[in-house]
Amino acid sequence: MSDLVTVTIDGVEVTVPQGTLVVDAAKMIDNDIPVFCYHPKLKPVGMCRMCLVEIGVPMRDRATGEVLRNEDGSVRLNFGRGLQTACTVVVSDGMVVRTATQPVKDAREAVIEFLLTSHPLDCPICDKGGECPLQNLTMRYGRGESRFDFSNKILLDKHVPLGELIYLDRQRCIQCARCIRFQDEVVDDPVIDFHNRGRRLEIVTLSEPGFDSYWSGNTTDICPVGALTTADFRFGARPWELTSVASVCTHCPVGCNTTLDTRREAIAGGRSVIKRVMPRQNEWVNEIWICDKGRFVHHYADAPTRLKQPLVRKNGQLVEASWDEALDLVAGKLQQHKTAVAGLAGDRLSNEDLYLFQKLFREGLGSNNIDLANRRLAGGDVVAQVGLASGSNLKELGAGDAVLVVATDLHEEAPVWWLRVKQAAERGAVVVVANLRPTRLDKFATHRLHYAPGEALSTIRQLVNLAKVEMETADSDPLAAAADALIKAKNMVVFYGSEGLTYEETDALARLLANLLLVKNGEGHVGRPNNGLIPVWPHSNTQGAWDMGVHPAFAPGYKPVSEPGLRATDIYAGVADGSLKALFVIGADPVGDGLMADRGQLDFLVVQELFMTKTAELADVVLPAQSWAEREGTFTTGERRVQRYYMAIPPIGDSRPDWQILAQINERVGLGKPAFAASLVFNEIAKVVPQYKGMDYRSLARVEKQWPDVGGEDLYYGGTAHENRSGLGQQWACVAESATVERFDVAEQPVIARDGLQLVRVAALYTSGTLIEQSPVLHHRMARPTIQLAHADATALGLADDDRAEVTVNSVTYETAVRVNEQVPAGLVLLSGVPYIAGLTTAQIRKLETAVAQPTGD
Amino acid sequence: MALIAEKYAEEIEGILKRFPDKKSAVLPLMHLAQQAYGHMSREAMQEVADILEISPTHVLALSGFYSLYYEEPVGKYVLEICNDLACALRGADEFVEMVCHKLGVPVDGTTADGLFTVKTVMCLGACDRAPMLQCNLKFEEHLDEEKFDQLIARLRAEAESGKEEPSVVEKIMAYAKS
């Protein structure tokens, strides 16, 4: 029996895989069967009845099983007694589907008429108007006027906040349950549900805060009416007024494809502003989803506090200056201190920015003193060898495959990766989580390895050693069982992060995990699609920073330099002791992050930034840069996919793109005429960085047809996520794809005796920072400083749930909330809602006796 | 709060044992919670959700779907009068009016002594015995004013004497122990 079946839909034959639903089979030949409740990413439920069609199957002789034929030799078909829902019927061989007959038309007309019985006629003020499946399908299939009496319309609440991010309009809801099913089936946050029955049915939430999910915004995309809207876009603009510009999310290493919907506005003085951020389909990256952080955090681009003019310190004050004056000063000072300069970059900058930044130091000033301001996770060089192979798609992982996730909480650090690993588990993949404590992924994991504080590396080392040994039967030892399941998998993907680890430990971790992937069981798990290492980088372009050589020891393309420069920690020391004279900080705030105390003995400090950060306040020159929305560029994701983003709004004030500022400084230090377009800088990158060879802005903009259809004409089928017309990006090939990679040497890490309660900083998606603070819509959800610990440990400290405590880490003191959580292993304290802290520290916790007013978080 | 967890610990264990999946025990547990809390309050929903490790929103959805869970406080006896088509043809609407008048409460109202709540419901499947009502799950049929007066008198006497018929929860508990 073949895996394909052939069906005829409105006279057109189509061959599709077994198990395909009629509605999808029709979609594949561009026969759009209208739907409301059906969504190609959700399980079918057949609730709305909009997809009713005539379905006939060949009749067979009951005795012989022979297909019965009419006199003219044609197959006799049984169309049953009525219409069937195309979204719940699976295709079968010889099936004939009719979607345009009178009974079908009548049924559609009737369903529309019923859906509209109490639907309000407020399309002119509805956010969905213009991109509304109900509106579109009513125009196409509705009867134009209702036979129901207008006065019988039931009036229901129109402004029901399901929490402060998502609003429900009960009158508009057609009760398709797409939102409820998405929250339950797709993201496992079943925090909304139907209440009551019939026409009193409404969507409710009991979570605190309401609709407590990192994914809530997606429900507004798939809602086929204007029932669910975001607080951010509600009454913000009409869809047809919006200009959509392709972009890439800048808030984690996943690199979700987004669209910035912009509009010129009078209140912005005629400027174009971002009205909303929408997901853009990329089935290799984020499919059609984005997390709420990516959706709502865009406000920093338009923040009034953005820097607008270059500033130069005169008589102790930062005063506005011309670009020429500022740039001449920067170039002059950097050259003057040539032997004692250093550069620190943030890892949210584009590849073009980072490339030119290192070029300034390496070629312009002859210094390798260049690093990321805050390195958390090592292993870029390892990833270049055995990273996730090009051509990979996490969506393809399923039964027979394995995913290992070490020292990271994907749900908080890279939500879309969490989703994709969860879905791999649901398709049957082995998922092994190794961490200090349980995370949201544990529920879906097949193996959970919770190591004791300080034992991360020894545990993983043991796992690698066990993987090398052929095992006859599954061992009862959980570690051995996990090793066995991993090594026997057809494909293996390994994620690693830095939770509870120092930078040096993450380096050892990356190497150990590379060795695990290199263990040969047949082919080994490197160099093939859907195999390899994925680092859970702290920011959107940490990968690009490695690739571009923003590293004291690596030039672009991972070429080791003969004389490595100073690392960030040495640079901070050099600033303090006066061995460094000039420092260039770009897209980072080491003072605000507590990495650098002050400007120390520096003679010259230049900061290139969006905002007046703590570091910028101390600078001699502040250069106003453009945000990602005002310029174009490329980011490289943790899966090493290079992706383009585009200019969406005009520059704020006199700000310039980072790459342009750097190109102009580079010209002043004698590096020749500057590139006048980001694409040309990228062309230079493609020449210098072997991994990027063959890429250019055109190749990154390539698209191909993706399944399922979303956006465009098919709003009602896939929702309002945007169709991808601007580029799927390109994954660069790691070394293992073309050459043999040898096992990595792993330096022994000193084992530190761990006495007493150990404190680990854990990630929270909405942790305060320069950018997220600019989005008032998220203020209520921000992670407040909180410690979580087991009951026994809490009792020993005299702490109880809802107490306040004072926690001191590395001589910084935080006032925190206290949560007693039995999920936390004994001897461990989880600290969240505070800036990153590397490694483990012995907890110093003091109960705060007096009740301190909690921040209201307006 | 842990009202039912303490009060019905044994019963809950018995109920949970009967299902392969904890979540499936939600309806009987909701009956227990309704008995203990008086109605399906938010606290009751939260406790059921905590015991079964499900979202409280799910419990709310179920209590909204099924008419035997009351989200507002109700009296000791809930008189659920059918006023669907067949009963309506036999005078259910007038019957409801009479009941409300006699007890001095509107539909969905509870008498001041906390004894009776009047509700109207859809078909209970006793059309041949209309008009009828359901009082704490027990059918009272072929009703008229006289029979209603007798019913109320009987219930008042029962409430005063403290001798009560087994409630739905007692039936569930018996089931849990069987």
Side-chain angles (χ1 to χ4, degrees):
Chain A
M1 194 122 163
S2 133
D3 290 338
L4 297 171
V5 291
T6 301
V7 295
T8 308
I9 303 173
D10 290 345
V12 182
E13 271 197 11
V14 57
T15 303
V16 294
Q18 264 187 355
T20 305
L21 297 165
V22 170
V23 64
D24 290 337
K27 193 79 192 170
M28 288 169 194
I29 50 167
D30 290 327
N31 185 332
D32 293 348
I33 297 174
V35 293
F36 288 115
C37 71
Y38 178 70
H39 188 282
K41 299 257 182 208
L42 301 173
K43 288 185 199 131
V45 287
M47 286 167 76
C48 75
R49 319 309 289 174
M50 190 61 198
C51 65
L52 289 170
V53 290
E54 292 185 41
I55 296 177
V57 289
M59 292 174 79
R60 287 173 187 277
D61 186 286
R62 284 182 188 229
T64 64
E66 287 292 306
V67 171
L68 299 178
R69 290 181 186 275
N70 295 316
E71 279 169 15
D72 63 358
S74 62
V75 176
R76 278 174 70 182
L77 294 165
N78 177 7
F79 274 91
R81 265 186 243 158
L83 303 172
Q84 296 188 66
T85 46
C87 76
T88 54
V89 177
V90 171
V91 290
S92 62
D93 226 7
M95 181 183 274
V96 173
V97 181
R98 297 177 189 153
T99 75
T101 59
Q102 197 55 44
V104 172
K105 286 179 186 164
D106 290 346
R108 288 175 183 170
E109 203 177 270
V111 170
I112 292 275
E113 195 177 1
F114 271 118
L115 288 177
L116 293 177
T117 50
S118 263
H119 195 84
L121 296 174
D122 64 353
C123 301
I125 58 139
C126 177
D127 286 323
K128 206 79 172 191
E131 54 179 17
C132 173
L134 181 62
Q135 198 177 38
N136 293 355
L137 294 180
T138 300
M139 296 305 286
R140 189 147 165 206
Y141 301 110
R143 48 182 279 133
E145 58 184 46
S146 176
R147 288 169 291 181
F148 291 94
D149 190 355
F150 184 80
S151 60
N152 282 345
K153 276 188 185 282
I154 296 181
L155 299 178
L156 298 164
D157 295 340
K158 290 185 69 65
H159 306 278
V160 184
L162 297 175
E164 80 292 1
L165 291 178
I166 306 293
Y167 282 77
L168 166 68
D169 184 320
R170 287 186 62 195
Q171 276 187 38
R172 292 181 191 155
C173 178
I174 59 164
Q175 310 173 350
C176 68
R178 269 186 179 185
C179 53
I180 295 170
R181 287 147 58 212
F182 168 80
Q183 287 298 132
D184 186 27
E185 286 172 28
V186 180
V187 299
D188 190 43
D189 271 336
V191 294
I192 55 172
D193 213 329
F194 279 146
H195 189 238
N196 273 322
R197 294 201 236 178
R199 296 180 88 185
R200 289 190 303 144
L201 199 69
E202 76 172 303
I203 297 162
V204 290
T205 176
L206 276 189
S207 65
E208 183 50 49
F211 205 161
D212 186 17
S213 172
Y214 288 160
W215 308 94
S216 64
N218 294 299
T219 61
T220 65
D221 298 337
I222 57 172
C223 178
V225 292
L228 295 178
T229 50
T230 67
D232 203 35
F233 183 64
R234 195 170 155 77
F235 303 133
R238 311 318 313 275
W240 58 85
E241 299 167 344
L242 299 170
T243 304
S244 300
V245 181
S247 193
V248 174
C249 185
T250 64
H251 300 283
C252 85
V254 176
C256 289
N257 291 203
T258 58
T259 298
L260 306 181
D261 282 349
T262 65
R263 185 181 77 162
R264 287 188 64 208
E265 291 205 327
I267 49 166
R271 274 173 44 79
S272 267
V273 294
I274 300 171
K275 297 304 293 180
R276 62 177 182 182
V277 176
M278 299 289 276
R280 180 166 56 107
Q281 186 178 29
N282 190 335
E283 293 293 322
W284 288 265
V285 179
N286 55 306
E287 304 184 22
I288 58 170
W289 317 121
I290 54 172
C291 73
D292 286 354
K293 185 176 183 185
R295 190 180 297 263
F296 297 125
V297 83
H298 63 86
H299 291 277
Y300 68 88
D302 279 323
T305 47
R306 280 276 305 274
L307 296 169
K308 298 183 178 68
Q309 196 70 40
L311 302 171
V312 172
R313 191 170 294 278
K314 288 175 186 162
N315 302 323
Q317 294 291 315
L318 279 172
V319 294
E320 291 191 353
S322 72
W323 271 106
D324 277 339
E325 183 188 350
L327 293 174
D328 287 345
L329 183 59
V330 172
K333 283 285 188 181
L334 290 178
Q335 278 183 309
Q336 179 194 330
H337 295 299
K338 226 169 186 175
T339 50
V341 292
L344 291 169
D347 32 9
R348 285 194 178 94
L349 296 165
S350 80
N351 289 324
E352 293 76 7
D353 309 337
L354 293 164
Y355 173 77
L356 289 179
F357 190 59
Q358 69 79 35
K359 189 177 178 184
L360 167 66
F361 282 84
R362 291 222 163 85
E363 294 177 31
L365 306 168
S367 169
N368 281 320
N369 293 344
I370 173 168
D371 203 354
L372 291 179
N374 192 3
R375 264 188 203 284
R376 302 179 189 179
L377 187 62
D381 48 337
V382 180
V383 170
Q385 307 263 316
V386 297
L388 184 74
S390 57
S392 294
N393 185 348
L394 298 177
K395 207 169 81 169
E396 289 162 9
L397 295 174
D401 302 325
V403 183
L404 170 63
V405 180
V406 186
T408 174
D409 182 352
L410 287 179
H411 190 253
E412 303 290 342
E413 294 181 53
V416 168
W417 277 344
W418 172 83
L419 179 60
R420 286 164 78 82
V421 174
K422 166 203 179 260
Q423 292 181 326
E426 287 170 338
R427 287 187 295 266
V430 166
V431 172
V432 181
V433 289
N435 206 345
L436 280 165
R437 45 115 194 179
T439 65
R440 277 280 306 257
L441 198 56
D442 281 38
K443 181 176 169 188
F444 302 95
T446 46
H447 301 74
R448 301 168 197 87
L449 308 172
H450 296 149
Y451 44 75
E455 289 179 8
L457 292 175
S458 57
T459 305
I460 300 302
R461 194 184 297 273
Q462 227 183 320
L463 185 76
V464 180
N465 289 335
L466 286 165
K468 288 183 205 157
V469 193
E470 182 81 21
M471 271 174 288
E472 285 297 312
T473 50
D475 211 296
S476 58
D477 171 36
L479 204 57
D484 193 45
L486 286 170
I487 212 65
K488 285 190 175 148
K490 196 160 73 239
N491 299 301
M492 186 191 343
V493 172
V494 178
F495 290 87
Y496 74 101
S498 60
E499 190 172 293
L501 301 172
T502 63
Y503 186 75
E504 288 68 28
E505 285 170 333
T506 62
D507 189 54
L509 177 64
R511 284 158 199 278
L512 282 170
L513 293 171
N515 288 345
L516 174 68
L517 289 160
L518 286 165
V519 172
K520 284 253 183 342
N521 175 40
E523 301 177 87
H525 293 101
V526 294
R528 294 183 287 128
N530 300 327
N531 286 277
L533 195 57
I534 303 180
V536 185
W537 298 124
H539 293 122
S540 56
N541 204 29
T542 318
Q543 181 66 51
W546 279 93
D547 300 350
M548 295 305 117
V550 178
H551 194 289
F554 293 110
Y558 299 88
K559 286 180 209 107
V561 295
S562 49
E563 281 176 53
L566 299 177
R567 297 178 307 163
T569 43
D570 302 327
I571 292 173
Y572 297 128
V575 167
D577 68 22
S579 58
L580 286 176
K581 292 291 173 218
L583 177 66
F584 194 158
V585 178
I586 174 168
D589 182 16
V591 177
D593 291 345
L595 301 164
M596 195 167 99
D598 49 36
R599 56 177 288 160
Q601 316 257 339
L602 282 177
D603 174 59
F604 185 69
L605 172 64
V606 49
V607 175
Q608 188 165 313
E609 250 301 341
L610 300 179
F611 296 98
M612 186 53 83
T613 59
K614 290 264 189 318
T615 314
E617 282 170 9
L618 304 173
D620 297 294
V621 177
V622 180
L623 303 172
Q626 289 174 4
S627 75
W628 99 114
E630 298 147 62
R631 45 162 292 185
E632 56 179 347
T634 57
F635 293 130
T636 307
T637 74
E639 297 175 74
R640 298 188 332 289
R641 180 176 293 272
V642 186
Q643 303 191 111
R644 247 185 103 175
Y645 60 96
Y646 298 76
M647 180 184 147
I649 55 171
I652 299 279
D654 206 7
S655 62
R656 290 181 181 175
D658 290 283
W659 65 265
Q660 197 180 66
I661 301 168
L662 292 164
Q664 286 161 344
I665 295 171
N666 286 1
E667 185 190 19
R668 284 169 166 80
V669 299
L671 289 178
K673 280 195 94 54
F676 57 84
S679 59
L680 299 177
V681 180
F682 192 83
N683 288 349
E684 187 178 330
I685 293 172
K687 283 200 198 95
V688 175
V689 180
Q691 288 83 353
Y692 286 54
K693 198 178 164 197
M695 291 184 198
D696 59 31
Y697 270 25
R698 265 170 307 179
S699 72
L700 297 179
R702 236 174 255 148
V703 290
E704 58 184 81
K705 176 117 175 112
Q706 298 183 75
W707 177 266
D709 282 4
V710 294
E713 296 296 306
D714 303 307
L715 291 170
Y716 60 85
Y717 184 71
T720 47
H722 285 257
E723 185 186 345
N724 198 329
R725 299 188 184 129
S726 309
L728 297 166
Q730 275 178 283
Q731 234 171 344
W732 61 261
C734 64
V735 172
E737 290 175 54
S738 53
T740 308
V741 175
E742 294 302 319
R743 288 188 64 243
F744 289 83
D745 292 328
V746 187
E748 281 288 340
Q749 291 297 316
V751 177
I752 303 156
R754 300 275 169 198
D755 292 328
L757 210 50
Q758 294 298 305
L759 183 133
V760 58
R761 184 268 191 188
V762 298
L765 187 64
Y766 304 137
T767 298
S768 178
T770 310
L771 304 183
I772 197 170
E773 286 295 330
Q774 311 294 332
S775 281
V777 70
L778 284 174
H779 277 185
H780 190 65
R781 309 246 158 178
M782 296 297 287
R784 316 275 166 212
T786 304
I787 54 168
Q788 295 182 66
L789 66 178
H791 188 261
D793 290 329
T795 313
L797 289 164
L799 293 170
D801 227 3
D802 294 333
D803 276 354
R804 306 283 301 167
E806 202 177 72
V807 181
T808 307
V809 194
N810 304 338
S811 64
V812 182
T813 299
Y814 304 96
E815 195 201 311
T816 73
V818 176
R819 292 274 169 274
V820 175
N821 180 352
E822 280 316 306
Q823 298 275 303
V824 180
L828 196 65
V829 180
L830 313 182
L831 173 62
S832 58
V834 303
Y836 183 74
I837 301 164
L840 295 162
T841 48
T842 301
Q844 288 173 274
I845 299 171
R846 194 173 67 82
K847 183 179 175 176
L848 285 176
E849 290 301 339
T850 46
V852 180
Q854 297 197 17
T856 54
D858 56 332
Chain B
M1 273 211 271
L3 217 58
I4 63 167
E6 284 165 17
K7 199 168 167 187
Y8 299 118
E10 199 187 323
E11 286 81 0
I12 291 172
E13 204 184 314
I15 294 168
L16 290 180
K17 256 192 279 181
R18 290 174 171 268
F19 298 96
D21 185 0
K22 248 179 157 182
K23 188 179 173 180
S24 310
V26 66
L27 293 182
L29 251 59
M30 283 169 69
H31 278 298
L32 291 185
Q34 178 157 281
Q35 171 94 351
Y37 286 85
H39 67 284
M40 278 315 288
S41 62
R42 292 295 145 98
E43 292 75 26
M45 292 176 193
Q46 187 66 52
E47 190 184 349
V48 172
D50 289 346
I51 293 171
L52 300 177
E53 293 169 353
I54 57 177
S55 149
T57 309
H58 182 63
V59 183
L60 172 64
L62 290 169
S63 85
F65 184 83
Y66 291 108
S67 54
L68 288 176
Y69 298 111
Y70 311 116
E71 287 171 19
E72 301 299 326
V74 289
K76 189 174 174 63
Y77 300 101
V78 183
L79 308 175
E80 298 182 308
I81 309 168
C82 172
N83 64 348
D84 218 344
L85 183 61
C87 284
L89 292 173
R90 296 288 302 270
D93 288 338
E94 292 77 10
F95 182 74
V96 170
E97 215 170 288
M98 184 273 295
V99 168
C100 287
H101 179 74
K102 288 231 154 154
L103 295 176
V105 292
V107 172
D108 290 330
T110 303
T111 54
D113 58 7
L115 276 187
F116 301 104
T117 297
V118 181
K119 285 181 177 289
T120 56
V121 293
M122 293 291 128
C123 187
L124 292 168
C127 309
D128 56 324
R129 285 153 276 167
M132 59 83 63
L133 63 76
Q134 169 178 258
C135 172
N136 291 10
L137 293 190
K138 211 168 150 255
F139 281 12
E140 304 289 341
E141 299 153 344
H142 297 298
L143 291 173
D144 53 23
E145 189 169 347
E146 190 192 332
K147 282 196 177 159
F148 176 73
D149 289 340
Q150 289 168 5
L151 170 68
I152 293 296
R154 198 179 79 222
L155 293 176
R156 280 195 204 280
E158 186 183 291
E160 264 170 49
S161 72
K163 264 194 263 166
E164 289 165 39
E165 302 227 358
S167 67
V168 60
V169 169
E170 278 149 352
K171 287 179 193 159
I172 289 173
M173 290 194 286
Y175 166 77
K177 284 175 186 156
S178 69

